[in-house]
Amino acid sequence: MLSDAIKKGIEKAPHRALLKSMGYTDEEIARPLIGVANSASEIIPGHIHLDRIAEAVKAGIRSAGGTPFEFNTIGVCDGIAMGHEGMKYSLASREIIADSCEAMAKAHSFDGLVFIPNCDKIVPGMLMAAARVNVPSVVVSGGPMLSITMDGNYIDLNSVFEAVGAVKAGYIDEKDMIEYENNACPGCGSCSGMFTANSMNCLTEVLGLGLPDNGTIPAVYAERIRLAKLAGVKVMEMVQKNIKPSDILVPEAFENALTVDMALGCSTNSVLHLPAIAHEMGLILDLDIVNEISAKVPNLCKLAPSGPHHVQDLHRAGGVKAVMKELARKNLLYTDLITVTGRTIAENINNAIVKDNNVIRSIDNPYSETGGIAVLKGNIAPEGAVVKRAAVAEEMLRHSGPARVFNSEDEAIKSIYNGEIRKGDIVIIRYEGPKGGPGMREMLGPTSAIAGMGLDKDVALITDGRFSGASRGASIGHVSPEAMVGGPIAIVQDGDIIDIDIPAGKINVNLSQEEINKRLQSWKAPEPRIRTGYLGRYARLVTSASKGAVLL
């Protein structure tokens, strides 16, 4: 066992003494030692309850003959961090989470690991750590928040953001907005739509590092506690069989993840995180494969913000495994891959049933024949940009309009709230990329303001930053190269005509290459916004969004 390095032999008596000082017995020390990475905190709604999940995981480990050791990681709530300097730390926190889990696992020679994330960057951070450390591992998330009805409609956090825009536009008053504020987030869990957290929790299940239903069992269900206990049992099986993440996270597993991503209509942030996780395995997940998979995989679900359903509905309808069963009918998945159940994907989904075809469409009757996410390329984004196609209105799939250029999110949202954006405009928000932000802020504020004002079918947004998984409309992010490194988005001017063709995968500024080159020659990089502290280091080390914004 790996843990022999801290417990076996005469030389390890001091190590055993330290373990005994905490109350561990000789019998407990002799067992496999399992690290439990718990990201519980009192600032994230999706993590406020994770201590209960951890206790269940530890009970499962003990019942299967192991000894659990819980440790903690940081986490950022994207919703609370949204719209101010705090959002610069969200994506950057992913690397801290991965690094801290690596440090704890390696320093203490754990034989196996159970990771307990739930929200946006914590899930991919822990998946990156699992890949990097490469000891038998299971991921069990905290589960989605419930969505409840108001005036007959199911609501979620995005409803509150859009209510702000509606107040600014005069469609509702502040009293109405308070009703949304008081009801949209009824309890613990990751925000209830197919936003980034739930996207990554579902894709963890698809990758094979999470148990079936990991992505969809609501946080408040007892079923979630039972799943956590099973995760503790399963990690012991993984240790006994020596099944490691490297056995699970093979190239085909990432193709499966992208395939289900397209069927579910996941957050565009998944296209940022999957390459980063693949990078930890020494694999390259090129953006070109996104469109290749999207071209052949139908969109089967319309979950918020793309449609009326929420993750609780997906769970009731059969969950991710039922979606996978539909895709397998047309041989769109690799089903012979091993997972943390100890069984193959084919075995995991064998008994899956679609219980509601309104939530999970039949593969013979999809919402669209192509997937929910698209990568666009052109002279404004030579390395690519990403859009949640499933959340774009039909009339905005192809659009041309004049650029309204802003050099920060703050400038853009001020203009939006002041009513300065007109129908047909294309809002450009730049210098918000991984290096320029720094930290590649999500921009749920601008997109929600546009939607709340009723302009989501008339106005497009383009940025080298990111959009929240809750964003809807023609919100095109991850433009690469970013403005801070001299990407062509840096030279776009007010009034330049931008042509967007999502079905064709194209995005261009209507300028000659000669004019683009001329402008680039006279362009100078602005002074970095932040030079010191963690963000200063992050800005110097981070790579392009097209490569997953990993650190080198």
Side-chain angles (χ1 to χ4, degrees):
M1 291 189 290
L2 291 173
S3 60
D4 286 349
I6 65 168
K7 68 185 186 185
K8 191 171 184 179
I10 295 172
E11 298 85 355
K12 304 304 177 184
H15 303 66
R16 294 193 296 272
L18 289 168
L19 292 171
K20 289 179 178 180
S21 76
M22 295 180 281
Y24 293 100
T25 65
D26 284 325
E27 182 183 358
E28 288 175 309
I29 295 168
R31 296 173 179 174
L33 308 185
I34 310 298
V36 178
N38 184 6
S39 56
S41 77
E42 296 182 349
I43 191 61
I44 309 176
H47 292 231
I48 190 74
H49 65 304
L50 292 190
D51 282 341
R52 287 193 65 208
I53 301 295
E55 288 303 317
V57 166
K58 290 187 287 186
I61 292 169
R62 292 188 186 104
S63 72
T67 300
F69 292 82
E70 183 180 342
F71 63 89
N72 296 98
T73 73
I74 67 164
V76 170
C77 176
D78 278 30
I80 295 173
M82 194 74 67
H84 59 93
E85 187 180 25
M87 180 47 71
K88 295 177 184 289
Y89 286 89
S90 172
L91 179 59
S93 72
R94 184 187 71 181
E95 317 308 311
I96 297 177
I97 292 160
D99 290 349
S100 63
C101 290
E102 174 198 357
M104 292 297 288
K106 292 290 190 180
H108 303 105
S109 298
F110 292 130
D111 296 303
L113 292 163
V114 177
F115 295 94
I116 308 175
N118 207 28
C119 291
D120 296 53
K121 306 312 164 300
I122 300 94
V123 183
M126 288 190 172
L127 287 168
M128 290 165 69
R132 189 185 303 171
V133 176
N134 199 33
V135 299
S137 300
V138 177
V139 178
V140 58
S141 303
M145 186 184 290
L146 292 177
S147 173
I148 63 174
T149 59
M150 193 175 88
D151 298 328
N153 297 311
Y154 282 92
I155 59 174
D156 51 51
L157 178 64
N158 198 33
S159 306
V160 190
F161 276 98
E162 292 189 6
V164 174
V167 170
K168 297 283 187 180
Y171 296 143
I172 64 173
D173 59 27
E174 288 191 36
K175 182 180 177 181
D176 295 323
M177 185 187 71
I178 295 297
E179 283 296 301
Y180 282 102
E181 180 182 324
N182 288 340
N183 292 284
C185 300
C188 66
S190 50
C191 294
S192 55
M194 189 51 73
F195 311 149
T196 303
N198 292 324
S199 294
M200 292 309 302
N201 285 328
C202 288
L203 296 184
T204 297
E205 185 178 330
V206 180
L207 285 169
L209 280 183
L211 296 168
D213 297 319
N214 175 71
T216 59
I217 299 172
V220 296
Y221 285 14
E223 189 180 357
R224 174 64 58 177
I225 299 299
R226 297 196 296 271
L227 185 78
K229 290 179 180 177
L230 182 59
V233 171
K234 286 298 179 182
V235 77
M236 292 304 298
E237 288 186 20
M238 298 297 99
V239 169
Q240 290 156 12
K241 296 176 181 178
N242 197 31
I243 298 175
K244 300 176 182 178
S246 57
D247 300 312
I248 296 171
L249 297 178
V250 294
E252 293 82 1
F254 288 97
E255 289 191 38
N256 280 350
L258 284 171
T259 297
V260 177
D261 191 334
M262 298 302 165
L264 288 174
C266 290
S267 164
T268 53
N269 283 312
S270 62
V271 183
L272 194 67
H273 298 316
L274 289 173
I277 300 161
H279 174 79
E280 297 293 345
M281 294 305 311
L283 303 173
I284 297 174
L285 199 63
D286 193 279
L287 287 185
D288 289 337
I289 197 175
V290 174
N291 282 348
E292 291 176 18
I293 291 175
S294 182
K296 64 182 180 181
V297 177
N299 180 218
L300 303 182
C301 301
K302 286 285 188 183
L303 300 158
S306 302
H309 303 125
H310 289 78
V311 179
Q312 67 201 43
D313 301 309
L314 177 61
H315 183 63
R316 176 180 52 81
V320 174
K321 59 184 183 292
V323 175
M324 295 175 75
K325 183 74 171 286
E326 281 298 300
L327 294 170
R329 286 178 52 205
K330 293 288 181 74
N331 297 314
L332 292 171
L333 290 176
Y334 298 95
T335 59
D336 58 346
L337 307 183
I338 194 69
T339 72
V340 291
T341 63
R343 302 189 299 271
T344 64
I345 288 172
E347 293 171 307
N348 289 346
I349 67 175
N350 183 53
N351 295 321
I353 300 172
V354 175
K355 301 175 183 177
D356 187 342
N357 279 123
N358 291 316
V359 179
I360 303 173
R361 287 277 188 96
S362 164
I363 199 162
D364 299 316
N365 181 36
Y367 283 104
S368 69
E369 294 293 339
T370 54
I373 290 178
V375 170
L376 315 181
K377 288 189 175 182
N379 62 12
I380 195 175
E383 292 178 6
V386 184
V387 63
K388 189 168 185 172
R389 176 178 176 155
V392 180
E394 185 71 26
E395 53 266 51
M396 288 297 289
L397 290 173
R398 293 181 177 88
H399 180 70
S400 293
R404 294 294 307 280
V405 180
F406 302 94
N407 289 332
S408 72
E409 176 190 9
D410 309 281
E411 291 178 14
I413 200 161
K414 181 180 178 181
S415 183
I416 293 168
Y417 283 154
N418 286 340
E420 297 168 0
I421 303 301
R422 302 285 181 259
K423 288 186 177 183
D425 285 348
I426 296 181
V427 176
I428 305 284
I429 307 174
R430 63 191 180 195
Y431 297 107
E432 290 288 3
K435 287 183 177 292
M440 203 180 181
R441 286 195 284 184
E442 280 187 348
M443 305 197 191
L444 184 55
T447 60
S448 297
I450 290 290
M453 292 175 174
L455 294 172
D456 55 299
K457 296 181 180 180
D458 302 288
V459 173
L461 295 95
I462 299 172
T463 183
D464 54 5
R466 299 180 295 129
F467 289 115
S468 167
S471 293
R472 62 185 174 95
S475 304
I476 301 166
H478 306 199
V479 170
S480 302
E482 62 175 291
M484 193 66 180
V485 299
I489 192 174
I491 55 84
V492 177
Q493 298 175 2
D494 277 338
D496 287 344
I497 300 300
I498 307 295
D499 298 318
I500 300 168
D501 189 336
I502 293 174
K506 295 179 179 179
I507 182 169
N508 290 285
V509 56
N510 196 353
L511 297 172
S512 68
Q513 191 60 49
E514 181 182 12
E515 175 62 19
I516 292 173
N517 293 340
K518 180 182 175 182
R519 292 187 188 183
L520 284 171
Q521 287 171 5
S522 60
W523 172 84
K524 291 183 180 179
E527 288 295 311
R529 289 175 174 146
I530 298 175
R531 292 180 178 272
T532 60
Y534 177 62
L535 284 180
R537 294 196 301 276
Y538 181 86
R540 290 190 292 272
L541 297 173
V542 70
T543 61
S544 169
S546 64
K547 295 179 171 60
V550 297
L551 299 186
L552 294 180

